[in-house]
């Protein structure tokens, strides 16, 4: 007797979790600079590598912090510092060679002057981790020489994300900037608006938005906000019924070309990844029996991860922020930056609702001509359409605040939030991966003859046939007018 197998190619979910890491250290000032006050700061984080090891994941990454400080001479200067980080996450079931996916999210950031004349950096980073295996599932399909094997199967819908393109394109633009002498600090926000198929390629269009803190030729600190539209056609390696794009900023720079030109040069390397969805269906065995051979099924718990597509959306939030007690009044509002943090996600009725906080840093000038800054969290809620089978999403958020007014104790801000979401669905089932001898004592044979069976709620012909050790055809043929699943107490006629 030989077992026969089917191999099912699905994406198995091995591990999903979040690892939090903390960074604390001293940030040196540029040579020859002494800071009297820290005016503004912001940071970006990225994962450099995520390596699967036995029952654990090793992650390395970096955080880049841009700071704006006021020197002892009253002059304003900015500088960039980078720190590397590494951490390990316990991940049961993970082995070398499995597919890993990691996304770093900045959850908290603090910079403050230290007694040494340096700056103390404190950051909290969440790393969202997913590990999958492409190893096929080997499930029972038959037993040689056994003609009366009955298999119960369940239909499984599958969705696989296939990368159709991965291309980095340089976006460059010179934008007008009357009187700007120096860019002290900037934030670039990438907004994908549409992804359409054109002539065998994917046309990705959107907006690159700039929010910069600058110094004018008169030494004034001003905010510069500009938008640069883009439209790029990406050549695809393959086809799919449904495509979406995920875009990320890589190397970028924003610099003034001098007041004589009144131009700001923006250069950004943008990585365009286009994914296609390939869907399918398969029948997975979840139970088996034979009227002539007594055995137990060997079951294995399978967790299948299905890709459900992706989408992008743009949202607006307006709010007022208040100057903290003890700070002077706002004379001139100068600059605002925001780091969006998701605190909760809910799926319901074909939509996804995400709640979070816009961790906002606000810079202003007081009536005595001194730079002041403070932080405040602004709540937000966004809603996006989501596939019906989605259980969770990986969301990349960016936010661009615009100052619409400010004076006294209050400033008015308008936030533009961009969200890029990739949706996933999980399915758990117990698949039949073998058989074993029945270790229980054989039960007494049923009385042979005609049996009238009172079914239980939810039972099927397979359940009844297995209980009485008869063929599925024999159970169903005598009860052709009865539909499954059965109602409680429904009578079935059987010949045992």
């Amino acid at each position: 007797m030989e077992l026969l197998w089917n191999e099912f190619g699905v994406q198995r979910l091995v591990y999903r979790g979040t690892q939090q890491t903390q960074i604390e250290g001293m940030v040196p000032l540029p040579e020859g600079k002494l800071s009297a006050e820290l005016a503004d700061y912001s940071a970006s984080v990225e994962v450099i590598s995520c390596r699967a090891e036995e029952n654990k994941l090793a992650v390395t990454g970096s955080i880049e912090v841009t700071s704006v400080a006021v020197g002892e001479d009253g002059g304003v200067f900015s500088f960039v510092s980078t720190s590397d980080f590494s951490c390990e996450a316990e991940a049961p079931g993970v082995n070398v060679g499995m597919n890993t996916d990691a996304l770093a999210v900045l959850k908290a950031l603090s910079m403050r002057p230290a007694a040494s004349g340096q700056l103390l950096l404190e950051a909290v980073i969440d790393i969202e981790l997913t590990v999958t295996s492409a190893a096929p599932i080997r499930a029972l399909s038959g037993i040689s020489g056994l003609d009366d094997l009955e298999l119960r199967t369940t239909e499984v819908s599958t969705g696989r994300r296939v990368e159709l393109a991965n291309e980095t394109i340089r976006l460059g633009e010179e934008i007008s900037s009357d009187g700007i002498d120096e860019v002290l600090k900037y934030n670039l926000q990438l907004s994908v608006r549409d992804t359409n198929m054109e002539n065998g390629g994917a046309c990705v269009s959107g907006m690159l938005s700039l929010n910069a803190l600058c110094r004018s030729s008169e030494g004034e600190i001003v905010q510069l906000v500009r938008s640069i539209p883009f439209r790029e056609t990406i050549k695809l390696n393959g086809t799919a019924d449904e495509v979406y794009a995920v875009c990320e900023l890589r190397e970028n720079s924003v610099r003034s070309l001098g007041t004589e030109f009144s131009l700001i040069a923006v250069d950004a390397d943008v990585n365009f990844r286009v994914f296609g969805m390939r869907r399918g269906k398969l029948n997975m065995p979840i139970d088996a029996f034979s009227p002539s051979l007594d055995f137990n099924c060997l079951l294995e718990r399978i967790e299948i991860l299905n890709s459900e597509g992706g989408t992008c959306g743009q949202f607006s939030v307006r709010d007022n922020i208040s100057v903290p007690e003890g700070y002077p009044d706002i004379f001139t509002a100068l600059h605002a930056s925001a780091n969006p943090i998701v605190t909760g996600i809910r799926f319901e009725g074909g939509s996804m609702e995400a709640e979070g906080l816009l961790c906002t840093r606000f810079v202003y000038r007081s009536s005595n001509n001194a730079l002041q800054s403070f932080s405040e969290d602004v709540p937000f809620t966004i809603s996006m359409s989501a596939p019906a089978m989605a259980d969770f999403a990986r969301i990349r958020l960016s936010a661009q605040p615009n100052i619409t007014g400010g004076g006294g104790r209050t400033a008015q801000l308008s936030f533009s939030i961009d969200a890029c979401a990739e949706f996933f669905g999980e399915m758990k089932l117990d698949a039949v991966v073998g058989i074993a001898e029945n270790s229980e004592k054989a039960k007494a044979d049923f009385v042979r003859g005609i049996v009238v069976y009172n079914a239980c709620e939810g039972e099927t012909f397979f359940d009844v046939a297995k209980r009485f050790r008869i063929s599925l055809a024999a159970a169903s043929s005598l009860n052709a007018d009865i539909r499954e699943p059965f109602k409680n107490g429904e009578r079935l006629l059987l010949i045992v």
Side-chain angles (χ1 to χ4, degrees), residues 111-178:
M111 291 275 286
R112 64 179 186 271
S116 62
Q118 298 178 314
L119 299 175
L120 176 61
L121 165 67
E122 294 178 323
V124 177
I125 300 170
D126 277 359
I127 304 172
E128 300 175 8
L129 300 163
T130 304
V131 182
T132 58
S133 173
I137 300 171
R138 195 165 180 254
L140 184 70
S141 66
I143 303 175
S144 63
L146 187 67
D147 297 330
D148 60 356
L149 178 69
E150 302 283 5
L151 283 173
R152 169 189 273 170
T153 62
T154 186
E155 186 176 79
V156 177
S157 297
T158 62
R160 185 180 294 274
R161 184 185 76 170
V162 181
E163 188 174 86
L164 301 178
N166 187 338
E167 184 177 351
T168 299
I169 297 175
R170 168 62 63 93
L171 300 182
E173 189 80 15
E174 294 180 354
I175 57 179
S176 62
S177 57
D178 291 342

Side-chain angles (χ1 to χ4, degrees), residues 9-16 99 101 129-133 137 156-161 277-278 302-308 389-394 422-428:
V10 297
Q11 185 171 237
R12 298 181 64 171
L13 177 63
V14 180
Y15 173 81
R16 185 167 72 91
N99 302 319
D101 194 2
L129 300 163
T130 304
V131 182
T132 58
S133 173
I137 300 171
V156 177
S157 297
T158 62
R160 185 180 294 274
R161 184 185 76 170
M277 294 299 303
R278 293 181 181 167
I302 305 295
E303 294 189 39
I304 298 174
L305 179 67
N306 285 329
S307 296
E308 298 293 343
M389 300 302 292
D391 296 309
F392 71 96
R394 173 160 290 180
E422 290 186 275
F423 300 104
F424 300 89
E426 295 181 49
M427 172 176 282
K428 299 179 181 180

Side-chain angles (χ1 to χ4, degrees), residues 325-438:
E325 186 177 349
Y327 280 65
D329 286 358
I330 300 170
F331 182 73
T332 305
L334 298 177
H335 178 71
S337 58
N339 176 47
I341 297 174
V342 175
T343 57
I345 296 177
R346 181 172 64 253
F347 288 89
E348 185 176 351
S351 67
M352 178 194 72
E353 186 176 274
E355 297 178 341
L357 297 172
L358 295 164
C359 301
T360 305
R361 187 78 179 170
F362 183 77
V363 182
Y364 68 98
R365 192 179 295 280
S366 61
S367 58
N368 63 356
N369 207 34
L371 283 183
Q372 304 287 340
S373 61
F374 62 90
S375 298
E376 184 169 320
D377 294 338
V378 176
F380 72 87
T381 301
I382 60 175
S383 182
M384 307 175 71
S385 59
M389 300 302 292
D391 296 309
F392 71 96
R394 173 160 290 180
I395 305 178
R396 293 174 173 86
L397 287 180
S398 58
Q400 199 82 284
N402 290 321
I403 300 171
T404 58
R409 308 299 296 174
T410 305
Q412 296 81 45
L413 298 180
S414 174
F415 298 86
S416 173
I417 303 175
D418 279 276
C420 179
E422 290 186 275
F423 300 104
F424 300 89
E426 295 181 49
M427 172 176 282
K428 299 179 181 180
L429 55 86
D430 294 316
V432 181
V433 296
I435 63 172
E437 182 181 354
N438 192 344

Side-chain angles (χ1 to χ4, degrees), residues 274-297:
V274 181
F275 297 99
M277 294 299 303
R278 293 181 181 167
R279 304 185 185 278
K281 295 184 181 295
L282 53 87
N283 291 312
M284 188 77 69
I286 57 173
D287 200 357
F289 78 95
S290 165
S292 61
L293 180 65
D294 192 17
F295 61 82
N296 289 328
C297 291

Side-chain angles (χ1 to χ4, degrees), residues 1 3 9 62 125 204 216-217 222 299 375 412 415 425 436 493:
M1 185 175 64
L3 301 184
S62 68
I125 300 170
V204 184
S216 70
S217 55
V222 296
L299 302 176
S375 298
Q412 296 81 45
F415 298 86
L493 180 64

